[in-house]
Amino acid sequence: MLNFYPGPSKVYPEVRSYLLDAYDEGFMNTPHRGEQFVQMSRTVVNSIKRKINIPQDYYIFFASSATECWEILIQSLTRHKSYHIYNGSFGEKWYEYAKKLRPNAEGFQFDLNEPMPVSDLQVSADTELICFTQNETSNGTQVSPTTILNLHNRYRDTLIAVDATSSMAGLNLKLIKADIWFASVQKCFGLPPGLAVIACSPRSIFRAKKLAERSHYNSLVPMYEKMLNYQTTHTPNELNIYLLKRMLEDRPFIKGIEQHLTDRAQDLYTFFEQFADFKLLVENEEVRSKTVIAVQANEKLVEDAKKRALHHNIRLGNGYGPWARNTFRIANFPAIQDEEYEELKRFFLHYYA
């Protein structure tokens, strides 16, 4: 099965051997307070900073999912409200979730074909956290590094948190331009679901310690205190952390990965532009995602393409949210090989050219 679903997506084929090694090396039942886990955790923290280009003074934490990260950040970094900028389903869900915890949370929605309009934002002085999704998995859009820089420059005194679930480990993100970045590992990391990585700036930890929120399963201050010794507040997903360690050891640096994905994304966009019955959901090239390609057609054709592809052992991603019925999505993640995309293109040329 060729899996182009944008999460959980294809895992690196080496994961099979990593799992056997984890069993043989005892990582499936090692105490999470023991030295074996601590050494592994320390190695992962150092590797992820080096391979993914995370600033050395940022703190790394583990959670179960990006969705849990939404909760951790709202409960530990705000007392009153956050401000959410979104153009798709996952950014909006983060906003809706924040309102359940902090009813004063505010949101700003913009169109999927326009860049984030930083100059139009009305972020009040009492906003404690600005939140947005860098790569919107639901519709195949992205917020560019230039836009993130503009946001950073305009709101230097406000913490900024970024959901990078479908771009971290695929793109060379400029993490210094925001305070918190997080991602689940079942997309660009090429690993099974059940683990998320959070990177926090020193000033975000300073804010967390000032608020001193300790009331939840994963509150940021206890997480910080435990990770000073490379431990977690809870029994972690040790197996997936081990897989993360091995994956980072075997992968190139992020700059090379990003260039490959960028070139491949452009090839895929060019390919789908040639069809009369399909069109790209995102018309503005400036805001098109490099890691999730959304293709639009009438509902009948979308359903036909997904069923035909599945018959040929090709799994396309369903549409999501408002675009659930009239789009399909294609993951452009590092674990998927170039030849698999060539097979995908042959399929579309055979049936729809």
Side-chain angles (χ1 to χ4, degrees):
M1 179 68 71
L2 302 185
N3 185 11
F4 298 100
Y5 212 95
S9 192
K10 180 184 177 181
V11 300
Y12 283 109
E14 294 90 344
V15 167
R16 180 185 177 93
S17 61
Y18 297 163
L19 288 168
L20 293 174
D21 292 343
Y23 181 88
D24 291 340
E25 295 172 26
F27 278 103
M28 290 189 179
N29 55 12
T30 187
H32 67 285
R33 303 292 180 215
E35 186 61 24
Q36 188 179 29
F37 174 80
V38 168
Q39 291 295 339
M40 177 177 68
S41 178
R42 179 185 288 111
T43 299
V44 169
V45 167
N46 292 333
S47 293
I48 200 168
K49 287 183 177 182
R50 190 166 56 93
K51 286 294 184 73
I52 299 183
N53 200 20
I54 297 174
Q56 286 300 309
D57 61 348
Y58 276 45
Y59 299 90
I60 303 299
F61 306 104
F62 302 120
S64 64
S65 67
T67 304
E68 187 193 5
C69 296
W70 298 347
E71 181 178 77
I72 292 169
L73 300 177
I74 298 300
Q75 70 195 14
S76 293
L77 292 174
T78 71
R79 283 195 178 125
H80 306 291
K81 70 178 181 181
S82 50
Y83 187 93
H84 297 257
I85 313 161
Y86 61 92
N87 71 348
S89 296
F90 290 101
E92 184 174 16
K93 284 185 175 183
W94 190 2
Y95 171 45
E96 295 294 335
Y97 197 91
K99 285 197 293 185
K100 295 177 182 179
L101 297 175
R102 305 287 186 265
N104 291 327
E106 298 176 341
F108 181 97
Q109 184 174 10
F110 63 102
D111 186 77
L112 67 85
N113 273 303
E114 68 171 317
M116 179 194 290
V118 175
S119 60
D120 294 341
L121 302 178
Q122 301 294 328
V123 181
S124 57
D126 60 344
T127 297
E128 298 156 290
L129 186 67
I130 297 172
C131 305
F132 69 92
T133 301
Q134 189 277 326
N135 200 81
E136 179 54 72
T137 316
S138 67
N139 58 26
T141 59
Q142 69 167 359
V143 179
S144 72
T146 300
T147 300
I148 296 173
L149 175 61
N150 291 339
L151 185 69
H152 166 79
N153 289 339
R154 185 172 185 183
Y155 297 105
R156 287 182 179 273
D157 295 332
T158 306
L159 293 179
I160 298 176
V162 186
D163 184 335
T165 291
S166 54
S167 54
M168 186 183 284
L171 302 183
N172 187 17
L173 303 166
K174 306 301 185 288
L175 275 73
I176 195 69
K177 301 307 178 185
D179 295 282
I180 306 105
W181 298 75
F182 58 90
S184 302
V185 299
Q186 72 269 19
K187 299 180 188 289
C188 286
F189 283 91
L191 297 175
L195 180 69
V197 174
I198 315 173
C200 292
S201 70
R203 75 171 189 158
S204 66
I205 299 302
F206 179 82
R207 169 72 61 77
K209 289 195 287 187
K210 185 177 180 180
L211 296 184
E213 188 278 311
R214 294 176 175 269
S215 302
H216 297 87
Y217 162 74
N218 258 344
S219 294
L220 196 52
V221 171
M223 291 173 70
Y224 160 77
E225 291 170 346
K226 283 295 184 184
M227 277 302 283
L228 290 175
N229 294 315
Y230 298 96
Q231 295 184 12
T232 57
T233 56
H234 56 286
T235 304
N237 189 337
E238 293 184 339
L239 177 57
N240 227 341
I241 294 172
Y242 174 86
L243 298 178
L244 177 60
K245 169 182 173 292
R246 294 294 302 275
M247 182 277 293
L248 290 167
E249 290 171 349
D250 290 346
R251 300 276 76 79
F253 288 92
I254 192 63
K255 187 175 181 179
I257 293 175
E258 179 185 55
Q259 187 60 57
H260 185 205
L261 294 191
T262 299
D263 293 342
R264 199 161 66 185
Q266 185 56 55
D267 179 69
L268 287 167
Y269 281 124
T270 301
F271 174 77
F272 278 103
E273 283 176 333
Q274 70 182 297
F275 293 91
D277 295 327
F278 295 107
K279 71 173 187 176
L280 299 171
L281 176 63
V282 183
E283 298 173 0
N284 184 352
E285 295 182 21
E286 181 184 350
V287 299
R288 285 177 183 165
S289 167
K290 297 177 182 178
T291 58
V292 179
I293 287 83
V295 181
Q296 187 175 34
N298 66 65
E299 294 181 11
K300 185 177 179 180
L301 184 57
V302 166
E303 191 62 28
D304 178 77
K306 291 191 296 183
K307 287 183 176 179
R308 282 183 185 270
L310 201 58
H311 181 73
H312 289 271
N313 291 320
I314 298 172
R315 179 179 289 120
L316 301 175
N318 293 330
Y320 198 95
W323 309 278
R325 299 177 66 86
N326 68 342
T327 65
F328 59 84
R329 295 171 298 157
I330 298 170
N332 180 30
F333 296 159
I336 308 173
Q337 300 301 304
D338 289 344
E339 175 53 35
E340 296 176 70
Y341 291 98
E342 294 305 312
E343 181 70 19
L344 177 71
K345 290 193 284 187
R346 285 191 289 269
F347 164 79
F348 275 97
L349 287 172
H350 179 74
Y351 284 104
Y352 301 107

